[in-house]
């Protein structure tokens, strides 16, 4: 029988090991803490005695050694160069995260090759850094590495993909690097691969047919490239374990029968869209039998059902979707309210660029999850829903532009507290803007142009301190431009063209250092033009403005367009025009009272 005293000692020893990190590793963790600049200047709280309880640190429950270290968004203090040697004391390190850290390379003699001594390192996150091909190449020598995350770096050479393809990997993420070239057939030899992320690059040419060899793939993301994939194809027929397949924003061609995915029982994400007009997805003939419950479905710009207008019938059996994008397909009929009713977790719905008609009918139940609704470029009509804030209380993006909506400006939008983008342009909305003006602090894009909205610009626009884009052009607004508008320091587009505004241009606009586009043309504005520092586009035609030719030295160097037509500007065109506005591309001065000679320097505006 086992001695009970010895047994108790063993239990106590285990508890001591499990409850405390090694002193040696604690010391090296403190050295790492000092070697990095932490987000917002706030290093993690590593003050307690037991480093296994520190945030961003994970230890083995058996040995007490560090097994995972999260240094995400911590910047190496030595000019962005990483000293890889400082991690060598952590002999059981399995998972290391150094993402979003501004790493541009490694210190001399302390590059990634030294990690070959970390024989248990399997997961390495170096995403969102500034690493190039040569700096990451030593990773090929890390025999234990199974999951390198290298997305969002500066890797450009397709040869790098070939080298990495020789490793025995479970996950390879090279997304959003700008890699230029063909997808190497060497990738097809990585038969143990479970995830392959090559999206957001410049891969071109035909998708290698041998990719069908990757039968263990759960995730395949080739989106946002220049690849040509021709359907029908057997490339994906054997990948029945796929959970996510994204081919969107490539050169897809031919006819894809969605029924070909009927055996993909694990499929959750399916994203298909083409930059080509020669791609068609057929869901009705034969009828698609998607056995799995999808979570993400993108069938955008794919000549859905040969542009017959038929909404895919298999969607009526889907109840777990949280993203649906069926834009640019000429779908017809009434707005598909049933998509919202069937999918109570739906957070993103885009049906833009179709031919839906009738009123925008909201579901009878509240959807707390919907944050993005885009029904622009359709033929919807009638009044805007008066209770949209109740049905969709958490909307952050609402685009109903280019329809036939009418009635008064909806007061409901002023109660959408999370709304950041509102676009109701190109409709027939009328009434005064003042009573219903959205005042949410989250608003940064407010686009209401080409309607029949009247009244004065409300001073509450000045309290929306996050506004960056305001377009009220081609309405019936009256009164003056509020002086307090200068308090919106994030303004970079302000378009009030084609209204009935009077008074002068507020001098406070000169303090808007982010303002790049200003269009006040076709109003009744008068007086001189204030200094406008960083403008790129200035449109002031058809007003009653006066004064001499506006010179904004030295702040006008970025100006590309200056339209001063049909005002009352006078005096001479200055000789230094070429030095003041070296980037000027469009100069329109017709219908003013300028006099004297046109200076030769105008010819230097090449």
């Amino acid at each position: 029988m086992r001695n009970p005293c010895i047994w108790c000692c063993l239990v106590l020893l285990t508890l001591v090991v499990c409850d405390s990190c090694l002193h040696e590793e604690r010391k090296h963790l403190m050295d790492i803490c000092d070697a990095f600049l932490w987000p917002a200047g706030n290093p993690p709280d590593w003050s307690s005695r037991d480093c296994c309880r520190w945030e961003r640190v994970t230890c083995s429950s058996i040995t007490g050694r560090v097994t995972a270290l999260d240094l995400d968004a911590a910047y190496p203090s030595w000019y962005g160069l990483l000293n890889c040697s400082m991690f060598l004391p952590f002999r059981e390190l399995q998972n290391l995260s150094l993402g979003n850290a501004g790493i541009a390379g490694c210190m001399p003699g302390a590059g990634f090759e030294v990690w070959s001594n970390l024989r248990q390192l399997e997961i390495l996150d170096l995403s969102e850094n500034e690493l190039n091909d040569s700096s990451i190449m030593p990773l090929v020598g890390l025999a234990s590495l199974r999951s390198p995350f290298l997305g969002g770096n500066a890797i450009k050479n397709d040869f790098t993909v070939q080298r990495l393809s020789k490793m025995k990997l479970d996950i390879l993420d090279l997304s959003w690097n700008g890699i230029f070239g063909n997808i190497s057939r060497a990738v097809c030899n990585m038969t143990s691969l479970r995830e392959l992320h090559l999206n957001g690059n410049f891969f071109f040419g035909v998708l290698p047919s041998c990719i069908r060899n990757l039968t263990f793939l759960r995730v395949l993301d080739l989106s946002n490239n220049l690849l040509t994939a021709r359907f029908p194809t057997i490339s994906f027929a054997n990948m029945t374990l796929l959970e996510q397949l994204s081919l969107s924003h490539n050169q897809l061609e031919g006819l894809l029968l969605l029924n070909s995915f009927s055996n993909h029982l694990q499929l959750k994400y399916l994203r298909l869209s083409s930059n080509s007009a020669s791609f068609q997805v057929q869901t009705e003939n034969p009828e698609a039998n998607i056995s799995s419950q999808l979570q993400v479905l993108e069938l955008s710009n794919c000549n859905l059902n040969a542009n017959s207008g038929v909404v895919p019938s298999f969607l009526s059996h889907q109840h777990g979707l949280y993203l649906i994008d069926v834009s640019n397909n000429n779908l017809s009929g009434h707005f598909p309210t049933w998509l919202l009713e069937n999918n109570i977790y739906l957070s993103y719905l885009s049906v833009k660029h179709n031919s839906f008609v009738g009123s925008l009918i909201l579901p009878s139940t509240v959807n707390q999850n919907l944050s993005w609704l885009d029904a622009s470029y359709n033929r919807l009509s009638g009044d805007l829903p008066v209770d949209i804030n109740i049905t969709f209380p958490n909307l952050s993006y609402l685009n109903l532009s280019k329809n036939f909506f009418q009635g008064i400006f909806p007061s409901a939008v002023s109660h959408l507290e999370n709304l950041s983008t509102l676009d109701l342009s190109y409709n027939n909305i009328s009434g005064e803007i003042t009573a219903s003006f959205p005042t949410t602090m989250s608003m940064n894009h407010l686009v209401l142009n080409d309607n029949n909205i009247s009244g004065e610009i409300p001073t509450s626009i000045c309290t929306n301190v996050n506004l960056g884009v305001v377009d009220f052009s081609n309405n019936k607004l009256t009164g003056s431009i509020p002086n307090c508008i200068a308090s919106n320091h994030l303004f970079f587009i302000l378009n009030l063209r084609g209204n009935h505004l009077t008074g002068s241009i507020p001098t406070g606009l000169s303090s808007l250092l982010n303002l790049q586009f200003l269009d006040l043309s076709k109003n009744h504005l008068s007086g001189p033009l204030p200094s406008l520092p960083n403008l790129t586009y200035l449109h002031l035609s058809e007003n009653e403005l006066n004064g001499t030719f506006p010179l904004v030295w030295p702040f006008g160097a970025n100006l590309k367009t200056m339209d001063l037509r049909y005002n009352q500007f006078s005096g001479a065109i200055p000789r230094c025009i070429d030095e003041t506005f070296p980037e000027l591309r469009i100069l329109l001065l017709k219908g003013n009272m300028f006099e004297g000679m046109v200076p030769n320097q105008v010819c230097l505006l090449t």
Side-chain angles (χ1 to χ4, degrees):
M1 183 176 178
R2 186 179 290 131
N3 188 315
C5 292
I6 295 176
W7 176 247
C8 289
C9 290
L10 288 172
V11 171
L12 288 172
L13 181 61
T14 302
L15 289 174
V16 169
V17 171
C18 294
D19 199 43
S20 178
C21 66
L22 301 182
H23 174 74
E24 173 194 358
E25 293 195 343
R26 185 183 193 277
K27 175 181 178 297
H28 289 297
L29 284 173
M30 295 305 297
D31 290 340
I32 286 175
C33 186
D34 294 337
F36 284 82
L37 303 175
W38 296 88
N42 296 319
D45 183 6
W46 286 3
S47 58
S48 67
R49 182 175 181 179
D50 183 7
C51 63
C52 288
R53 299 181 182 275
W54 290 352
E55 59 178 321
R56 295 174 173 255
V57 178
T58 303
C59 296
S60 167
S61 60
I62 299 174
T63 65
R65 287 188 175 275
V66 173
T67 58
L69 190 54
D70 179 6
L71 302 178
D72 191 71
Y75 187 82
S77 56
W78 205 74
Y79 301 103
L81 296 180
L82 185 66
N83 180 2
C84 295
S85 298
M86 67 173 60
F87 298 95
L88 293 181
F90 307 104
R91 293 181 296 179
E92 294 186 18
L93 191 64
Q94 302 169 21
N95 187 336
L96 176 59
S97 178
L98 290 163
N100 196 29
I103 300 172
C106 300
M107 294 178 65
F112 295 130
E113 65 276 357
V114 303
W115 285 348
S116 60
N117 294 318
L118 296 175
R119 303 185 186 280
Q120 297 188 39
L121 184 63
E122 294 187 357
I123 302 172
L124 177 61
D125 187 353
L126 291 168
S127 59
E128 304 300 327
N129 282 292
E130 301 169 19
L131 298 166
N132 59 24
D133 297 83
S134 59
S135 59
I136 67 111
M137 198 58 70
L139 295 176
V140 176
L142 306 187
S144 63
L145 192 61
R146 295 292 177 265
S147 301
F149 295 89
L150 302 171
N153 278 284
I155 303 168
K156 305 297 181 186
N157 199 324
D158 61 333
F159 179 70
T160 302
V161 184
Q162 296 181 41
R163 293 290 304 275
L164 292 170
S165 298
K166 296 179 180 180
M167 302 175 69
K168 189 176 181 180
L169 299 179
D170 296 327
I171 299 173
L172 177 58
D173 185 351
L174 290 166
S175 58
W176 300 104
N177 269 285
I179 303 171
F180 185 84
N182 296 105
I183 293 182
S184 170
R185 294 178 63 87
V187 170
C188 303
N189 297 326
M190 305 177 73
T191 53
S192 62
L193 209 59
R194 291 184 290 108
E195 295 187 19
L196 179 59
H197 303 265
L198 298 178
N199 50 300
N201 286 288
F202 296 102
F203 288 112
F204 58 86
V206 178
L207 182 67
S209 58
C210 64
I211 203 164
R212 64 178 180 268
N213 297 341
L214 306 181
T215 55
F216 286 100
L217 274 182
R218 266 73 170 176
V219 177
L220 177 59
D221 193 344
L222 303 175
S223 61
N224 297 94
N225 278 288
L226 305 170
L227 292 167
T228 298
R230 296 189 178 95
F231 293 90
T233 177
I234 61 171
S235 294
F236 311 107
N238 295 331
M239 297 181 183
T240 55
L241 297 179
L242 274 177
E243 298 173 11
Q244 301 182 28
L245 174 62
S246 182
L247 304 174
S248 58
H249 304 289
N250 279 288
Q251 298 296 116
L252 308 184
E253 299 177 354
L255 172 63
L256 168 62
L257 302 179
L258 206 64
N259 197 48
S260 61
F261 292 106
S262 59
N263 293 326
H264 293 65
L265 304 182
Q266 309 300 320
L267 196 61
K268 300 295 183 186
Y269 294 67
L270 180 60
R271 308 194 79 142
L272 301 169
S273 67
S274 180
N275 299 332
S276 159
S278 57
F279 178 57
Q280 182 189 149
V281 174
Q282 179 60 249
T283 68
E284 305 306 305
N285 188 22
E287 184 176 347
N289 181 21
I290 305 297
S291 302
S292 62
Q293 284 292 310
L294 299 174
Q295 296 176 3
V296 171
L297 177 65
E298 179 185 358
L299 294 175
S300 172
N301 193 38
C302 55
N303 295 304
L304 197 55
N305 298 319
N307 280 327
S308 62
V310 176
V311 178
S313 57
F314 82 92
L315 284 174
S316 62
H317 306 296
Q318 296 288 322
H319 300 282
L321 285 160
Y322 62 80
L323 182 148
I324 301 175
D325 185 349
V326 289
S327 56
N328 298 285
N329 282 302
N330 197 37
L331 300 177
S332 59
H334 290 281
F335 179 80
T337 307
W338 54 273
L339 284 175
L340 290 154
E341 293 174 335
N342 286 2
N343 299 278
I344 59 174
Y345 301 110
L346 195 66
S347 63
Y348 182 108
L349 176 61
S350 178
V351 296
K352 67 179 181 181
H353 283 280
N354 282 294
S355 299
F356 290 117
V357 297
S359 301
L360 177 60
I361 305 297
L362 302 184
S364 56
T365 56
V366 174
N367 185 317
Q368 296 277 357
N369 299 296
L370 194 71
S371 62
W372 185 291
L373 176 58
D374 192 341
S376 59
Y377 291 88
N378 276 280
R379 300 175 184 176
L380 299 172
S381 59
D383 292 349
L384 290 168
V386 296
D387 55 353
I388 194 169
N389 61 306
I390 297 174
T391 308
F392 306 132
N394 292 312
L395 270 182
S396 63
Y397 180 97
L398 177 61
N399 190 343
L400 301 176
S401 63
K402 293 182 172 65
N403 279 284
F404 299 98
F405 290 114
Q406 56 191 22
I408 61 173
F409 187 85
S411 60
V413 297
S414 64
H415 301 292
L416 289 167
E417 296 181 356
N418 298 318
L419 196 63
S420 62
T421 296
L422 175 64
D423 190 346
L424 302 177
S425 60
Y426 296 99
N427 280 287
N428 194 28
I429 299 169
S430 58
E432 291 209 4
I433 191 174
T434 307
S436 309
F437 189 76
T439 58
T440 58
M441 297 299 291
S442 58
M443 182 76 70
N444 52 50
H445 281 66
L446 182 56
V447 183
L448 305 175
N449 59 284
D450 290 86
N451 281 284
N452 290 305
I453 300 171
S454 59
E456 297 187 0
I457 299 174
T459 55
S460 55
I461 193 174
C462 306
T463 62
N464 290 24
V465 293
N466 291 312
L467 273 175
V469 175
V470 169
D471 190 345
F472 294 165
S473 61
N474 301 318
N475 277 285
K476 298 179 179 178
L477 298 176
T478 56
S480 59
I481 302 172
N483 288 319
C484 64
I485 205 168
S487 62
N488 293 61
H489 292 291
L490 296 181
F491 265 138
F492 64 93
I493 293 179
L494 178 60
N495 191 348
L496 302 176
R497 171 190 177 94
N499 283 284
H500 306 293
L501 300 174
T502 56
S504 60
I505 300 175
T507 56
L509 289 183
S510 60
S511 66
L512 300 181
L513 301 183
N514 294 308
L515 189 63
Q516 296 183 25
F517 181 100
L518 178 64
D519 192 343
L520 303 177
S521 54
K522 294 190 176 182
N523 279 286
H524 305 290
L525 299 171
S526 58
L529 180 63
S531 170
L532 297 167
N534 291 335
L535 277 183
T536 305
Y537 304 96
L538 175 63
H539 301 265
L540 299 174
S541 65
E542 298 183 59
N543 278 287
E544 299 163 21
L545 299 168
N546 56 40
T548 57
F549 190 95
L551 285 179
V552 191
W553 178 264
F555 304 109
N558 298 321
L559 201 66
K560 295 181 179 180
T561 299
M562 180 187 290
D563 185 356
L564 305 180
R565 290 174 297 169
Y566 299 107
N567 277 284
Q568 299 172 15
F569 291 108
S570 58
I573 300 174
R575 295 178 181 273
C576 58
I577 188 171
D578 59 318
E579 297 176 356
T580 309
F581 307 113
E583 298 294 323
L584 203 59
R585 300 181 183 182
I586 296 176
L587 177 62
L588 304 174
L589 304 178
K590 179 181 180 180
N592 280 284
M593 295 183 288
F594 291 117
E595 57 189 24
M597 300 290 291
V598 176
N600 292 332
Q601 285 79 356
V602 169
C603 301
L604 300 177
L605 295 170
T606 54

